[in-house]
Amino acid sequence: MASNEATKKADPARSPIRGAASQPPQRNAPPARPAPKRVGPLEFLGQVRDEGRKVTWPTRKETTVTTIMVFVMVVVASLFFTVVDQGLRYLVGLILGL
């Protein structure tokens, strides 16, 4: 026998919405931000320059050390992948008997 909502008898003690004892509290929408003021090209470039002054630029020594570390990591990664590739080539050769 199939059971669906239409064939069930209504029970007045049950709430009409099953599984939801109470509704969740309403969330307040965040306040709307005012649209940013549009500025001209010269004022924009001035703002870019001001932001550039706030940046903490690395020293020559920091840049050199970081560059050397990048090159070292590239060499290490290339050696690692070469060894793994040769190892896999050897294993596949053993399995296939080539």
Side-chain angles (χ1 to χ4, degrees):
M1 174 192 268
S3 174
N4 61 28
E5 293 297 323
T7 60
K8 290 183 181 176
K9 293 185 178 179
D11 186 1
R14 293 177 118 179
S15 65
I17 301 174
R18 296 168 81 183
S22 65
Q23 292 189 357
Q26 294 293 328
R27 297 164 86 191
N28 293 335
R33 291 187 197 162
K37 185 183 93 170
R38 294 190 61 131
V39 296
L42 292 177
E43 189 174 346
F44 173 75
L45 290 175
Q47 290 175 357
V48 169
R49 191 172 179 185
D50 291 340
E51 290 296 321
R53 287 189 190 118
K54 295 177 187 176
V55 174
T56 304
W57 297 101
T59 63
R60 181 176 292 273
K61 183 178 179 183
E62 290 172 336
T63 304
T64 304
V65 169
T66 304
T67 303
I68 291 171
M69 288 306 299
V70 167
F71 284 128
V72 167
M73 290 307 297
V74 166
V75 170
V76 168
S78 64
L79 289 174
F80 171 76
F81 286 116
T82 300
V83 169
V84 170
D85 184 51
Q86 293 301 318
L88 290 174
R89 183 179 68 87
Y90 179 74
L91 288 175
V92 169
L94 284 176
I95 292 171
L96 297 178
L98 299 175

